[in-house]
Amino acid sequence: MQTHEIRERFTRHFVEAGHADVPSASLILEDPDLLFVNAGMVPFKPYFLGEQNPPYPNGTATSIQKCVRTLDIEEVGVTTRHNTFFQMAGNFSFGQYFKEGAITHAWQLLTGPQEDGGYGLDPERLWVTVYLDDDEAAEIWEKKIGVPAERIQRLGMADNYWSMGVPGPCGPCSEIYYDRGPEHGREGGPEADDTRYLEIWNLVFMEKERGAGTGKDSFEILGDLPKKNIDTGMGVERVACLLQGVDNVYETDLLRPVIDVAEQITGARYEGDGQDAIRFRVIADHSRTGMMLILDGVTPSNEGRGYILRRLLRRIIRSARLLGATGETLERFMNTIMDTMTPSYPEIAQNRDRIVRTAVAEERAFLKTLESGTHRFDEAADRIKSAGVTTFSGEDAFTLHDTYGFPIDLTLEMAAEAGLDVDVAGFEAAMSEQRARAKADNQAKKHGHADVSVYREWVDDNPTEFVGFSELTADAKVLGLVIDGQSVTHATEGDEVEVILDVSPLYAESGGQTADRGRLVADGTILEVNDVQKIGKKLWVHKATVTAGGIDLGQAVRAEVDPDWRHGARQAHTGTHLIHAALRQVLGPTAVQAGSLNRPGYLRFDFNYTDQLTPEQLTEITTIANQAVDADFAVNTIETTLDEAKKMGAMALFGENYGTDVRVVEIGGPFSIELCGGTHTEHTSQIGPVAVLGESSVGSGARRIEAYSGMDSFRYYSKEAALASGLAASLKAPTEELPERVSQLTEKLRAAEKEIAALRRQQLASRTGELLAQAQQVGEITVLTHRLPDGVSGGDLRTIATDLRGRLAGKAGVVVLASADGDKLPFIVGATKEAVDLGVKSGDLVKVLSGHVNGRGGGKPDMAQGSGSDAAGLDAGFAAVRDELARR
C-alpha cells in the first residue's frame, strides 16, 4: 500500500466518523517554543491550552501534519527509524469522546480489512502499553477490544505520560506496538525490545494540568482540566514500513527512490549497516526534509530555521562526496523526492523551480566552503606535523566543523590520508557542550509560553471585538489590567500597564503590520497606547502609559486611533501588496513572499529568490507599482471561507495558521488578491507615490526590497531631486547628462589613483637596496624587519616583499614588512627557499607578530600576511620575530 493511500484511508476513516478534516499547517508557525512544528497537535495548542474555542462543529478534528525534529541531526541514519521529517496522522477530540472512543477508532482502522478501508494489520501481532495506574484504559483494551492481558504492559511516567514540556495540559497515554517478529529482536513486548515491537500510534488522554518542571517526569500534577481531550498521533512512515513489507522507513516508496539515484550518482551500493549505508540514509532523509522546509518558505542562512536547513543540505552534499560523487547532486535528489511527495502535497508542483534553485545555489556556495575548509585543514595538519604530533585535536576538528562548516566525516578521512589520528572524543565533547547550550536555550524559551496564563481568564470568555476596519474611535469597557505580569484593579499616573478592552479600534501587530498608536481617554484620564499585541489571536492587549489621572478595572473609556499613524500604515501595507504583485509580474510566480514589515511611510518585503535584481528589474517593479497607484484601483475586502478564498486564487503567507474564515484583499481584479488581515486604503491612489529604495540579500536564496510610500516617498524624491540639481550645478551639466559626466570623472579618478599607486611602487622599489642594507644576521638567517611609510596597501606590501625576498635568493633570508593604512596595520612575512629548508614557516612568524599588534593572519611557509590594529606594538612584534628566529 503506497504512502499516499495510507494517508487517504486515515483521513477518510475519521471524516466518516464526523471529524473535521484539517489541512496540515505550515512547518513554520509563529510559536515561541518551536523552530518547526514537531508534533501533530501543535496547530491545536490554542484549543488545548484554553486560549481559543475549537471551531469544529462536532468538537472533533483529524489531520495529517507535517513535522520536523532536528535535535539529533547527527543521529540520522545511524538508526533506521529516525527521520528529521515525518508525517503525523492524528485525531483530536475537544471535550467529546475520551478513552474508549480513541481506542476504538484506532483499533478499527488498524485491524479493519483493507477491502473495507482499513489497514488489515493482524490483531494478534499488536501490543499496547498504558500508564502505570490507568486501570480504565487497560480494562477497555482487554474487555472491550479483546487484547489479551499478557499483551498489555504498564509503563511509567517517562514512557506513558504526555505533556508539552511546559505548564499546561497533560495526561496518561496508551501506545500501540506491532510485533515485527523474532528476527528483529527478543520476545517480551515493548518493555523488553522496542526495536522488534515497533510503536505505530500514541493515544494521549489529556485530562490533567501540570505545573513547572523539566524532564518527562519531574513536574507536579495540579489537577483536572475542565474538559477531557484526546490527542493521538500515528506515524505514517512506520505504518508504511509494515504495509509495504520493508525493514525500515528508508526502504518505503517515499525514500528508497532517492537512495537509488544516490547509487547511480556515486557508484556506491546501499547495503548493510556500515558508514556508507548511513550516508545513503542521510541523503534520503535530508533531501526530503530540506525540500519540505524550502517548500514552506525557509531559505538557507546562518541562524534559526535557515541554519537548520543549511546543515541538512550540506550533510547531503558531503555524504554524497564521501560516497564518491564528484559534481553537483542536489538537483537530482530534489527532483526525485518531489516526485515521490507530490501525490500527498500537490503544492510542490508550482514551487518546483524555486525549490531546485534554492538547493542548487546552496550547493554551489558550499562547494566553495569545502575548498576553504580544505585549506584550513591543510594548515592545521602542517602545524601538527611540524610539532611532531600525530593527532588532530578535537578543538581543531570542532573549529573546522563549527566555524567553516567542514564536516567531521571529511576531517576524519583527510586526517587518515595525512597519516593523522583525530581526537574524536575531544570533538564530541565540544559538540556536547554546544548541544547543552542549545538545549538550555530552548528550555529557557519554553518557559516563556507560560507567561500568557495571566490572560487565560479573558481569552475565551471576553474576546476583543475589533472595529478598526471601519472605525477609528470606540467606546469600550476595561476588562483587565496587567502590570509586570500580574493582574491588578487600578493603575496610576506614570504606570506602564497592559489594558484589555471589550471593544477596540486599534490594530494589533500581525501580518507584518506594526500596531496602531493611539490613546485611551476618560474624565481626567489619558493613556498613551504605544503597542497592541494579540493573545490567542483573539484578545487585544493594549500596552500603554498612564500620562494623566488613573484607570480602574471596569471603567468606561474611549479608545482612539492616531489618524495620522493609521493613514501612513494603511498606505504602506497596501503598497506592500502592489510591490508583491509587481515583483511576481517581473520575476514570475516563483518569487514567493517570505516576510514583510509595514509601518507608516515605510515598507520592506522579503521574498525567496536566488539572484540579485538588476537595475532594470527594479525600475520595472517601481513602474508597475506606481502604474497601479495611478490606475486608482479599488481595494476590496472580502470575508469568506478558506476554501473559497483558495478557489478565488488568493495567495497565503507561509507560517500563518489560518482559521476556517479568512479575509481576502483584492486590488484591481487579477492584479493582486491575497489573504490578509491588515488595514488598507480604499483606493490605490491614496497610497501616493511608491519609491523603491533598492534590494539586498538577507540570506542564501532570500532577497529584500525596501520602499517608501505616501509623504515619505515624496520627501525622498524631493531630496533626490535637490541632490541631482546641486550636482548638475557643480558640474555645469544638464541633469540628464549627470550619469555620463559622473562616469567620466570616476574613470579619471581611477586612472589617477592607478598612476599614483604605480609611482609609489616604483619609489619603494628603488629603495630595496637601501632597505636590504638594514638587514640583520640572526644565527644562520638574514632578517629584514621594517615599517614602510603610512598608506602602503597589503597588495603593495606583497609586491615589495616578493622583490626583497628575490634579492635574498641563495641565502636563508626572512623579510618582515608593515605599514599603517588608515585604522589597519597590514603586515607580511616572506621567507626564501633556503630559510624554509631550515624550518622557517612564515605563517608561524605572522602569528608571533599578530600577538603584539592585536592582529591575525596566516599563509604558506614561504609567504604569509596579516592585519592588526595596534601600531604601537610593532617594534615589539619585530623584536619577537627576531627572537623566534634566534631560537632555531
Side-chain angles (χ1 to χ4, degrees):
M1 189 181 297
Q2 297 294 293
T3 300
H4 68 271
E5 184 179 347
I6 294 171
R7 289 167 45 96
E8 289 173 358
R9 286 179 179 237
F10 186 95
T11 300
R12 188 185 316 121
H13 174 81
F14 284 101
V15 168
E16 290 176 352
H19 294 63
D21 181 9
V22 180
S24 174
S26 167
L27 286 166
I28 48 174
L29 294 183
E30 293 182 3
D31 189 304
D33 299 339
L34 302 172
L35 274 178
F36 304 111
V37 171
N38 65 355
M41 60 76 59
V42 169
F44 302 97
K45 278 174 64 175
Y47 315 134
F48 291 129
L49 287 168
E51 295 176 351
Q52 297 180 42
N53 286 320
Y56 315 117
N58 296 329
T60 59
T62 185
S63 74
I64 300 179
Q65 176 61 45
K66 46 192 177 185
C67 304
V68 168
R69 293 179 185 171
T70 57
L71 187 61
D72 300 314
I73 289 178
E74 305 289 347
E75 298 301 314
V76 171
V78 177
T79 69
T80 56
R81 290 183 296 163
H82 182 74
N83 291 134
T84 52
F85 173 89
F86 57 95
Q87 301 170 88
M88 187 60 72
N91 58 290
F92 308 90
S93 170
F94 308 100
Q96 303 303 313
Y97 61 81
F98 198 48
K99 293 182 183 179
E100 183 174 346
I103 290 171
T104 302
H105 278 309
W107 189 261
Q108 289 176 345
L109 178 58
L110 289 176
T111 63
Q114 290 191 4
E115 57 269 24
D116 294 337
Y119 293 143
L121 295 180
D122 182 358
E124 298 301 317
R125 302 183 74 168
L126 294 177
W127 290 62
V128 296
T129 62
V130 297
Y131 182 55
L132 284 175
D133 61 2
D134 194 351
D135 297 331
E136 179 186 0
E139 184 175 349
I140 293 170
W141 279 115
E142 184 178 0
K143 305 296 185 186
K144 297 191 176 182
I145 301 300
V147 177
E150 61 269 19
R151 294 213 309 270
I152 303 172
Q153 296 183 330
R154 296 179 183 249
L155 300 177
M157 204 166 188
D159 295 300
N160 273 65
Y161 206 93
W162 179 91
S163 81
M164 291 190 297
V166 295
C170 64
C173 58
S174 180
E175 296 175 335
I176 305 174
Y177 292 78
Y178 184 86
D179 180 4
R180 298 197 294 163
E183 66 272 20
H184 291 280
R186 66 184 188 278
E187 295 183 1
E191 66 179 359
D193 190 334
D194 64 358
T195 298
R196 169 176 171 173
Y197 300 89
L198 182 67
E199 179 193 345
I200 55 176
W201 207 331
N202 185 16
L203 314 176
V204 178
F205 310 131
M206 202 179 293
E207 57 184 340
K208 302 290 184 180
E209 183 172 8
R210 60 157 283 187
T214 58
K216 292 184 176 182
D217 53 5
S218 58
F219 51 83
E220 180 184 3
I221 305 299
L222 302 178
D224 294 332
L225 290 175
K227 296 179 180 179
K228 294 182 177 181
N229 305 312
I230 287 295
D231 158 29
T232 86
M234 185 195 82
V236 172
E237 282 78 7
R238 293 189 179 186
V239 173
C241 288
L242 303 179
L243 296 181
Q244 293 175 21
V246 297
D247 283 343
N248 59 69
V249 295
Y250 296 98
E251 306 207 359
T252 63
D253 59 319
L254 298 185
L255 296 182
R256 180 67 207 213
V258 182
I259 291 177
D260 292 341
V261 169
E263 286 185 322
Q264 297 170 16
I265 291 174
T266 64
R269 300 295 299 169
Y270 175 58
E271 53 192 7
D273 288 310
Q275 283 299 314
D276 278 1
I278 293 173
R279 289 164 186 153
F280 276 112
R281 294 171 194 150
V282 166
I283 291 170
D285 173 89
H286 290 4
S287 292
R288 180 171 65 168
T289 306
M291 184 274 292
M292 295 301 291
L293 290 179
I294 298 171
L295 174 67
D296 275 7
V298 183
T299 55
S301 68
N302 287 327
E303 59 184 18
R305 299 181 179 106
Y307 176 67
I308 296 295
L309 174 59
R310 172 161 284 169
R311 283 192 66 196
L312 294 172
L313 295 180
R314 291 185 171 190
R315 279 171 57 83
I316 298 170
I317 298 163
R318 55 94 166 171
S319 295
R321 287 173 66 89
L322 289 171
L323 287 170
T326 56
E328 296 180 6
T329 60
L330 282 186
E331 182 171 1
R332 287 192 64 185
F333 292 151
M334 288 293 147
N335 278 319
T336 303
I337 197 64
M338 285 190 286
D339 289 342
T340 71
M341 297 295 289
T342 297
S344 296
Y345 301 94
E347 62 270 26
I348 290 173
Q350 60 260 36
N351 289 279
R352 198 171 188 118
D353 290 345
R354 176 176 62 84
I355 291 168
V356 171
R357 189 170 62 245
T358 300
V360 169
E362 178 63 19
E363 178 168 35
R364 289 170 180 168
F366 183 49
L367 292 177
K368 295 180 182 178
T369 297
L370 283 178
E371 293 178 9
S372 173
T374 300
H375 177 66
R376 299 289 178 178
F377 173 88
D378 291 340
E379 286 184 349
D382 287 343
R383 172 169 44 81
I384 291 167
K385 287 182 177 180
S386 65
V389 179
T390 60
T391 301
F392 200 91
S393 75
E395 181 181 352
D396 282 332
F398 179 74
T399 299
L400 281 171
H401 170 85
D402 193 53
T403 304
Y404 300 102
F406 206 63
I408 183 62
D409 297 28
L410 287 182
T411 299
L412 289 167
E413 181 177 327
M414 293 174 64
E417 292 173 354
L420 297 172
D421 296 322
V422 178
D423 179 12
V424 177
F427 172 81
E428 291 294 344
M431 288 293 293
S432 296
E433 289 179 13
Q434 185 187 61
R435 290 193 192 103
R437 288 193 298 270
K439 187 174 182 179
D441 289 344
N442 286 337
Q443 190 64 41
K445 289 178 182 177
K446 281 186 177 181
H447 292 301
H449 200 285
D451 293 340
V452 301
S453 60
V454 69
Y455 308 104
R456 190 171 295 167
E457 63 177 288
W458 299 295
V459 170
D460 275 334
D461 295 336
N462 298 289
T464 305
E465 179 186 357
F466 176 63
V467 297
F469 288 131
S470 58
E471 305 291 338
L472 293 184
T473 63
D475 293 326
K477 179 181 178 181
V478 177
L479 300 181
L481 297 170
V482 176
I483 296 179
D484 295 332
Q486 301 296 318
S487 179
V488 298
T489 59
H490 178 76
T492 59
E493 187 170 335
D495 283 346
E496 301 288 335
V497 60
E498 297 178 353
V499 185
I500 297 160
L501 305 175
D502 61 341
V503 177
S504 178
L506 288 103
Y507 184 82
E509 180 179 358
S510 63
Q513 181 175 332
T514 56
D516 278 335
R517 301 294 185 266
R519 301 197 307 172
L520 306 180
V521 297
D523 292 338
T525 294
I526 300 176
L527 284 81
E528 296 292 339
V529 179
N530 48 57
D531 191 16
V532 188
Q533 295 293 323
K534 292 181 187 179
I535 301 294
K537 292 185 178 290
K538 59 180 8 178
L539 191 74
W540 266 231
V541 176
H542 305 76
K543 300 185 177 183
T545 303
V546 184
T547 57
I551 188 168
D552 295 307
L553 190 64
Q555 183 175 348
V557 297
R558 187 165 183 80
E560 302 175 347
V561 178
D562 180 336
D564 292 336
W565 181 279
R566 171 66 72 82
H567 178 62
R570 295 197 316 161
Q571 289 178 312
H573 200 155
T574 314
T576 301
H577 286 246
L578 302 190
I579 291 292
H580 191 188
L583 196 69
R584 291 172 68 83
Q585 284 192 33
V586 174
L587 302 181
T590 58
V592 178
Q593 180 172 355
S596 65
L597 173 68
N598 313 289
R599 63 172 183 259
Y602 169 85
L603 63 94
R604 78 175 188 222
F605 185 88
D606 294 348
F607 57 101
N608 293 326
Y609 202 70
T610 53
D611 300 326
Q612 181 179 358
L613 271 60
T614 65
E616 292 75 19
Q617 287 174 321
L618 278 177
T619 298
E620 188 176 0
I621 290 166
T622 306
T623 300
I624 292 171
N626 282 289
Q627 284 173 340
V629 171
D630 186 58
D632 193 26
F633 289 139
V635 180
N636 300 309
T637 57
I638 305 162
E639 293 187 357
T640 184
T641 65
L642 181 59
D643 288 340
E644 285 300 316
K646 289 180 178 178
K647 290 177 184 177
M648 294 166 61
M651 286 184 291
L653 301 184
F654 291 118
E656 286 291 326
N657 188 17
Y658 294 101
T660 53
D661 296 321
V662 296
R663 192 165 180 268
V664 177
V665 175
E666 178 259 338
I667 302 174
F671 180 78
S672 171
I673 181 166
E674 299 185 41
L675 297 181
C676 184
T679 62
H680 297 277
T681 59
E682 285 79 27
H683 290 80
T684 55
S685 59
Q686 295 169 327
I687 299 171
V690 177
V692 174
L693 308 180
E695 68 93 38
S696 59
S697 171
V698 289
S700 178
R703 312 293 301 178
R704 169 175 294 170
I705 282 182
E706 296 180 89
Y708 288 139
S709 61
M711 287 303 297
D712 286 85
S713 183
F714 173 76
R715 283 187 282 267
Y716 169 77
Y717 281 133
S718 296
K719 183 179 177 182
E720 291 291 296
L723 179 62
S725 296
L727 188 57
S730 297
L731 296 178
K732 295 181 173 57
T735 305
E736 59 269 19
E737 293 182 9
L738 283 179
E740 183 179 354
R741 292 292 299 274
V742 171
S743 178
Q744 291 172 354
L745 288 174
T746 302
E747 287 301 318
K748 288 181 180 180
L749 179 60
R750 287 174 179 166
E753 288 175 342
K754 289 181 180 179
E755 185 176 352
I756 291 171
L759 290 172
R760 181 186 292 119
R761 284 193 296 271
Q762 290 175 13
Q763 183 182 32
L764 291 171
S766 67
R767 296 182 54 201
T768 53
E770 177 185 338
L771 291 176
L772 285 175
Q774 301 175 26
Q776 302 176 18
Q777 196 68 27
V778 178
E780 302 177 68
I781 301 172
T782 301
V783 183
L784 170 63
T785 58
H786 187 77
R787 175 175 178 173
L788 293 170
D790 292 351
V792 180
S793 68
D796 287 345
L797 278 180
R798 191 177 189 91
T799 299
I800 298 166
T802 301
D803 184 19
L804 289 168
R805 185 183 60 178
R807 291 172 180 260
L808 290 172
K811 64 172 70 174
V814 172
V815 176
V816 187
L817 303 177
S819 172
D821 188 9
D823 295 333
K824 297 181 179 179
L825 182 74
F827 51 83
I828 190 165
V829 177
T832 63
K833 178 182 180 302
E834 291 77 13
V836 172
D837 290 342
L838 291 176
V840 173
K841 292 184 181 299
S842 296
D844 292 346
L845 297 179
V846 159
K847 290 181 174 63
V848 172
L849 182 53
S850 295
H852 293 269
V853 295
N854 191 28
R856 57 184 301 177
K860 297 180 179 179
D862 63 336
M863 186 73 76
Q865 283 184 266
S867 181
S869 59
D870 184 10
L874 191 56
D875 289 341
F878 284 159
V881 169
R882 292 192 293 269
D883 290 344
E884 177 67 21
L885 292 171
R887 284 193 285 270
R888 295 185 176 276

